[in-house]
Amino acid sequence: MTVLRASSASRVSTSRSRISASRVALAGGIALSSVVLLSGPAFAHVSVQPQGEAAKGGYATVNIKVPNERDDASTVKLEVSFPLDHPLASVMPQPVPGWKAEVTRSKLSKPLELHGKKINEAVSKVTWTADGSKIGPGQFQQFPLSLGQLPEDADQLVLKAIQTYDNKEVVRWIEEQKEGAEEPQSPAPVLKLSAASEDHHGGAAPSASASAGADKKDGHDGKAGHDGQETASADSSDTTARILGVIGILAGVAGVAFGVLAGRRRSA
Protein backbone atom coordinates (compact mmCIF):
# COMPACT_ATOMS: atom_id res chain seq x y z
CA MET A 1 0.00 0.00 0.00
CA THR A 2 2.83 2.36 0.91
CA VAL A 3 4.58 1.58 -2.41
CA LEU A 4 1.38 2.31 -4.37
CA ARG A 5 0.92 5.66 -2.61
CA ALA A 6 4.55 6.64 -3.28
CA SER A 7 4.21 5.68 -6.94
CA SER A 8 0.98 7.66 -7.26
CA ALA A 9 2.53 10.71 -5.57
CA SER A 10 5.52 10.46 -7.94
CA ARG A 11 3.23 10.41 -10.98
CA VAL A 12 1.28 13.44 -9.70
CA SER A 13 4.52 15.33 -9.05
CA THR A 14 5.83 14.47 -12.51
CA SER A 15 2.54 15.59 -14.11
CA ARG A 16 2.62 18.90 -12.24
CA SER A 17 6.24 19.40 -13.22
CA ARG A 18 5.40 18.87 -16.88
CA ILE A 19 2.52 21.37 -16.66
CA SER A 20 4.80 23.92 -15.01
CA ALA A 21 7.46 23.39 -17.68
CA SER A 22 4.87 23.84 -20.41
CA ARG A 23 3.68 27.08 -18.83
CA VAL A 24 7.25 28.40 -18.60
CA ALA A 25 7.93 27.50 -22.23
CA LEU A 26 4.65 29.11 -23.34
CA ALA A 27 5.35 32.29 -21.38
CA GLY A 28 8.86 32.47 -22.84
CA GLY A 29 7.53 32.01 -26.36
CA ILE A 30 4.91 34.72 -25.90
CA ALA A 31 7.49 37.13 -24.46
CA LEU A 32 9.91 36.50 -27.32
CA SER A 33 7.16 36.90 -29.92
CA SER A 34 6.11 40.19 -28.31
CA VAL A 35 9.65 41.52 -28.50
CA VAL A 36 9.93 40.62 -32.19
CA LEU A 37 6.55 42.12 -33.01
CA LEU A 38 7.20 45.32 -31.08
CA SER A 39 10.67 45.82 -32.51
CA GLY A 40 9.58 45.19 -36.11
CA PRO A 41 7.61 48.42 -36.78
CA ALA A 42 10.59 50.55 -35.75
CA PHE A 43 12.36 49.48 -38.97
CA ALA A 44 9.30 49.68 -41.23
CA HIS A 45 8.83 53.43 -41.51
CA VAL A 46 10.57 55.90 -43.76
CA SER A 47 12.29 58.23 -41.29
CA VAL A 48 14.61 61.24 -41.12
CA GLN A 49 17.66 61.09 -38.83
CA PRO A 50 19.98 64.07 -38.23
CA GLN A 51 23.72 63.56 -38.18
CA GLY A 52 24.65 65.55 -35.11
CA GLU A 53 22.55 68.57 -34.22
CA ALA A 54 19.61 70.06 -36.13
CA ALA A 55 19.38 73.42 -34.38
CA LYS A 56 16.84 76.14 -35.09
CA GLY A 57 18.27 78.82 -37.36
CA GLY A 58 21.23 76.64 -38.31
CA TYR A 59 22.22 74.07 -40.89
CA ALA A 60 22.09 70.29 -40.63
CA THR A 61 22.93 67.08 -42.42
CA VAL A 62 20.22 64.43 -42.27
CA ASN A 63 19.66 60.93 -43.61
CA ILE A 64 16.35 59.89 -45.13
CA LYS A 65 16.20 56.21 -44.14
CA VAL A 66 14.11 54.02 -46.44
CA PRO A 67 13.50 50.36 -45.53
CA ASN A 68 11.99 47.91 -48.01
CA GLU A 69 8.82 46.44 -46.52
CA ARG A 70 7.96 43.94 -49.23
CA ASP A 71 9.19 40.37 -49.71
CA ASP A 72 8.43 40.27 -53.44
CA ALA A 73 9.21 43.82 -54.66
CA SER A 74 12.00 46.40 -54.59
CA THR A 75 11.86 50.14 -53.95
CA VAL A 76 12.74 52.14 -57.07
CA LYS A 77 11.63 55.67 -56.22
CA LEU A 78 11.34 58.03 -53.25
CA GLU A 79 9.80 61.50 -53.12
CA VAL A 80 10.27 63.73 -50.06
CA SER A 81 8.29 66.97 -49.77
CA PHE A 82 9.37 70.00 -47.73
CA PRO A 83 6.93 72.39 -46.03
CA LEU A 84 6.64 75.79 -47.68
CA ASP A 85 5.21 77.39 -44.54
CA HIS A 86 8.74 76.98 -43.12
CA PRO A 87 10.77 77.11 -46.35
CA LEU A 88 14.34 75.94 -46.75
CA ALA A 89 16.40 77.92 -49.23
CA SER A 90 19.12 75.26 -49.42
CA VAL A 91 18.42 71.54 -49.77
CA MET A 92 21.31 69.64 -51.35
CA PRO A 93 21.32 65.86 -51.86
CA GLN A 94 24.56 63.94 -51.57
CA PRO A 95 25.12 61.67 -54.60
CA VAL A 96 24.08 58.07 -53.93
CA PRO A 97 25.50 55.44 -56.30
CA GLY A 98 22.78 53.90 -58.46
CA TRP A 99 20.27 56.69 -57.81
CA LYS A 100 19.40 59.91 -59.62
CA ALA A 101 18.33 62.90 -57.49
CA GLU A 102 16.12 65.73 -58.72
CA VAL A 103 15.45 68.91 -56.72
CA THR A 104 12.15 70.75 -57.30
CA ARG A 105 11.79 74.41 -56.31
CA SER A 106 8.56 76.40 -55.90
CA LYS A 107 7.79 80.10 -55.68
CA LEU A 108 7.06 81.52 -52.25
CA SER A 109 4.08 83.72 -51.49
CA LYS A 110 6.29 85.60 -49.05
CA PRO A 111 10.00 86.11 -49.91
CA LEU A 112 12.55 84.50 -47.60
CA GLU A 113 15.52 86.54 -46.38
CA LEU A 114 18.83 84.68 -46.12
CA HIS A 115 22.22 86.29 -45.53
CA GLY A 116 20.79 89.71 -46.40
CA LYS A 117 19.28 88.52 -49.68
CA LYS A 118 15.62 88.01 -50.54
CA ILE A 119 14.77 84.59 -51.94
CA ASN A 120 11.54 84.16 -53.89
CA GLU A 121 11.61 80.38 -54.17
CA ALA A 122 12.52 77.40 -52.02
CA VAL A 123 12.94 73.66 -52.36
CA SER A 124 9.58 71.91 -52.22
CA LYS A 125 10.58 68.34 -53.12
CA VAL A 126 13.52 66.01 -53.71
CA THR A 127 12.99 62.89 -55.81
CA TRP A 128 15.35 59.91 -55.94
CA THR A 129 14.87 57.49 -58.84
CA ALA A 130 16.68 54.18 -59.22
CA ASP A 131 19.36 54.38 -61.88
CA GLY A 132 21.03 50.99 -61.82
CA SER A 133 20.19 50.18 -58.19
CA LYS A 134 17.19 49.18 -56.08
CA ILE A 135 16.30 48.67 -52.42
CA GLY A 136 15.62 44.94 -52.34
CA PRO A 137 13.65 42.83 -49.83
CA GLY A 138 15.30 42.83 -46.42
CA GLN A 139 17.38 45.93 -47.26
CA PHE A 140 17.32 49.66 -46.62
CA GLN A 141 18.96 52.72 -48.14
CA GLN A 142 19.92 56.12 -46.72
CA PHE A 143 19.70 59.32 -48.74
CA PRO A 144 21.81 62.13 -47.20
CA LEU A 145 20.73 65.77 -47.43
CA SER A 146 22.26 69.08 -46.40
CA LEU A 147 19.53 71.41 -45.11
CA GLY A 148 19.51 75.10 -44.26
CA GLN A 149 18.69 77.52 -42.98
CA LEU A 150 16.41 75.74 -40.52
CA PRO A 151 13.44 77.79 -39.24
CA GLU A 152 13.68 79.54 -35.88
CA ASP A 153 9.93 79.53 -35.21
CA ALA A 154 9.26 75.79 -35.41
CA ASP A 155 10.04 72.78 -33.21
CA GLN A 156 9.95 70.27 -36.03
CA LEU A 157 9.65 69.81 -39.78
CA VAL A 158 7.28 67.24 -41.26
CA LEU A 159 8.79 65.77 -44.44
CA LYS A 160 6.07 63.79 -46.19
CA ALA A 161 7.38 60.92 -48.30
CA ILE A 162 6.08 58.69 -51.10
CA GLN A 163 7.74 55.30 -51.67
CA THR A 164 7.27 53.46 -54.99
CA TYR A 165 8.00 49.77 -55.65
CA ASP A 166 8.86 48.11 -58.95
CA ASN A 167 5.48 46.33 -58.94
CA LYS A 168 3.84 49.80 -59.17
CA GLU A 169 2.74 49.78 -55.53
CA VAL A 170 2.88 53.20 -53.86
CA VAL A 171 3.12 53.77 -50.10
CA ARG A 172 2.36 57.29 -48.87
CA TRP A 173 4.16 58.20 -45.64
CA ILE A 174 2.14 61.39 -45.14
CA GLU A 175 0.08 60.97 -41.94
CA GLU A 176 0.98 63.47 -39.24
CA GLN A 177 1.18 62.40 -35.60
CA LYS A 178 -1.49 64.02 -33.43
CA GLU A 179 -0.67 64.81 -29.82
CA GLY A 180 -1.96 62.16 -27.43
CA ALA A 181 -3.02 59.82 -30.25
CA GLU A 182 -1.56 56.50 -31.32
CA GLU A 183 1.03 56.46 -34.08
CA PRO A 184 -0.69 56.46 -37.49
CA GLN A 185 -0.31 53.52 -39.83
CA SER A 186 1.79 55.47 -42.35
CA PRO A 187 3.48 58.25 -40.33
CA ALA A 188 5.31 61.05 -42.11
CA PRO A 189 9.03 61.45 -41.28
CA VAL A 190 9.58 64.18 -38.68
CA LEU A 191 12.79 66.15 -38.13
CA LYS A 192 12.96 67.40 -34.53
CA LEU A 193 14.72 70.74 -34.12
CA SER A 194 16.85 71.54 -31.08
CA ALA A 195 17.33 74.93 -29.43
CA ALA A 196 19.20 77.52 -31.49
CA SER A 197 22.97 77.45 -31.12
CA GLU A 198 25.07 80.60 -30.75
CA ASP A 199 26.75 80.37 -34.13
CA HIS A 200 23.60 79.13 -35.96
CA HIS A 201 25.53 76.27 -37.50
CA GLY A 202 24.22 72.75 -37.15
CA GLY A 203 25.59 69.60 -38.78
CA ALA A 204 27.67 69.99 -41.91
CA ALA A 205 27.33 68.67 -45.40
CA PRO A 206 27.78 64.89 -45.62
CA SER A 207 30.91 65.04 -47.76
CA ALA A 208 33.78 67.38 -48.56
CA SER A 209 32.41 68.16 -52.01
CA ALA A 210 28.91 68.85 -50.70
CA SER A 211 30.35 70.98 -47.90
CA ALA A 212 32.32 73.06 -50.38
CA GLY A 213 29.16 73.60 -52.43
CA ALA A 214 27.25 74.64 -49.33
CA ASP A 215 29.94 77.15 -48.34
CA LYS A 216 29.87 78.77 -51.75
CA LYS A 217 26.10 78.97 -51.95
CA ASP A 218 25.09 79.69 -48.40
CA GLY A 219 28.27 81.12 -46.86
CA HIS A 220 28.57 78.79 -43.86
CA ASP A 221 31.17 76.41 -42.53
CA GLY A 222 30.50 72.72 -41.99
CA LYS A 223 31.73 69.71 -40.10
CA ALA A 224 32.10 66.31 -41.67
CA GLY A 225 29.19 64.00 -40.91
CA HIS A 226 29.30 60.26 -40.34
CA ASP A 227 29.08 57.85 -43.23
CA GLY A 228 25.62 56.37 -43.83
CA GLN A 229 27.01 52.86 -43.43
CA GLU A 230 28.32 53.71 -39.95
CA THR A 231 24.83 54.91 -38.94
CA ALA A 232 23.27 51.77 -40.33
CA SER A 233 25.82 49.61 -38.47
CA ALA A 234 25.10 51.39 -35.20
CA ASP A 235 21.33 50.92 -35.63
CA SER A 236 21.78 47.24 -36.45
CA SER A 237 24.17 46.61 -33.54
CA ASP A 238 21.84 48.32 -31.06
CA THR A 239 18.81 46.30 -32.21
CA THR A 240 20.74 43.03 -32.23
CA ALA A 241 22.01 43.67 -28.71
CA ARG A 242 18.48 44.27 -27.42
CA ILE A 243 17.07 41.12 -29.01
CA LEU A 244 19.99 38.97 -27.83
CA GLY A 245 19.56 40.40 -24.34
CA VAL A 246 15.89 39.38 -24.23
CA ILE A 247 16.68 35.92 -25.58
CA GLY A 248 19.34 35.56 -22.89
CA ILE A 249 16.84 36.46 -20.17
CA LEU A 250 14.31 33.95 -21.51
CA ALA A 251 17.00 31.26 -21.70
CA GLY A 252 17.94 31.99 -18.08
CA VAL A 253 14.33 31.68 -16.95
CA ALA A 254 13.97 28.40 -18.82
CA GLY A 255 17.21 27.11 -17.26
CA VAL A 256 16.04 27.90 -13.75
CA ALA A 257 12.70 26.22 -14.41
CA PHE A 258 14.29 23.03 -15.70
CA GLY A 259 16.74 23.05 -12.78
CA VAL A 260 13.83 23.13 -10.35
CA LEU A 261 12.09 20.31 -12.22
CA ALA A 262 15.26 18.18 -12.15
CA GLY A 263 15.55 18.73 -8.41
CA ARG A 264 11.96 17.64 -7.84
CA ARG A 265 12.50 14.51 -9.88
CA ARG A 266 15.60 13.56 -7.88
CA SER A 267 13.77 14.16 -4.58
CA ALA A 268 10.82 12.08 -5.84
Side-chain angles (χ1 to χ4, degrees):
M1 183 65 70
T2 302
V3 173
L4 290 177
R5 288 180 179 177
S7 177
S8 176
S10 177
R11 286 196 295 271
V12 171
S13 177
T14 301
S15 177
R16 289 178 178 176
S17 298
R18 289 176 179 174
I19 293 174
S20 298
S22 299
R23 289 177 178 175
V24 170
L26 178 60
I30 293 175
L32 182 58
S33 299
S34 299
V35 170
V36 173
L37 290 174
L38 291 175
S39 62
F43 305 99
H45 305 335
V46 172
S47 60
V48 55
Q49 302 170 339
Q51 293 187 23
E53 188 178 31
K56 298 178 182 179
Y59 296 82
T61 298
V62 303
N63 281 326
I64 306 297
K65 187 175 182 180
V66 185
N68 191 86
E69 292 187 303
R70 302 295 179 258
D71 296 328
D72 56 354
S74 298
T75 297
V76 294
K77 186 177 180 180
L78 175 71
E79 301 169 70
V80 176
S81 297
F82 296 84
L84 291 180
D85 56 342
H86 293 99
L88 300 175
S90 175
V91 176
M92 295 189 300
Q94 178 179 351
V96 177
W99 293 83
K100 179 182 178 182
E102 180 182 356
V103 178
T104 302
R105 305 179 71 88
S106 299
K107 290 186 177 180
L108 299 174
S109 57
K110 182 180 179 180
L112 178 68
E113 187 170 337
L114 182 66
H115 301 303
K117 297 181 180 180
K118 287 188 176 181
I119 299 175
N120 296 315
E121 61 179 18
V123 174
S124 56
K125 183 171 65 174
V126 176
T127 303
W128 289 271
T129 306
D131 185 21
S133 182
K134 296 180 179 181
I135 307 175
Q139 299 177 343
F140 75 94
Q141 177 66 54
Q142 295 192 111
F143 298 95
L145 289 170
S146 175
L147 307 179
Q149 185 174 358
L150 298 175
E152 299 181 8
D153 57 348
D155 295 324
Q156 64 181 28
L157 291 177
V158 179
L159 311 180
K160 297 183 179 181
I162 298 178
Q163 182 179 12
T164 303
Y165 290 87
D166 56 7
N167 63 357
K168 308 302 181 182
E169 180 185 2
V170 176
V171 180
R172 301 178 183 276
W173 302 99
I174 62 174
E175 299 179 56
E176 297 189 35
Q177 176 72 53
K178 295 182 179 180
E179 187 176 355
E182 294 183 359
E183 183 182 56
Q185 184 175 359
S186 300
V190 176
L191 175 63
K192 300 288 186 181
L193 304 181
S194 59
S197 57
E198 294 181 359
D199 60 0
H200 275 196
H201 289 76
S207 67
S209 58
S211 179
D215 292 342
K216 292 180 180 179
K217 185 173 181 179
D218 299 319
H220 67 278
D221 298 328
K223 300 177 182 178
H226 292 292
D227 187 273
Q229 293 181 349
E230 294 178 356
T231 304
S233 177
D235 291 345
S236 176
S237 298
D238 183 60
T239 302
T240 302
R242 292 180 182 178
I243 294 178
L244 289 177
V246 173
I247 293 176
I249 293 174
L250 295 177
V253 172
V256 172
F258 284 115
V260 172
L261 295 180
R264 289 182 176 177
R265 290 173 180 175
R266 286 195 297 268
S267 62

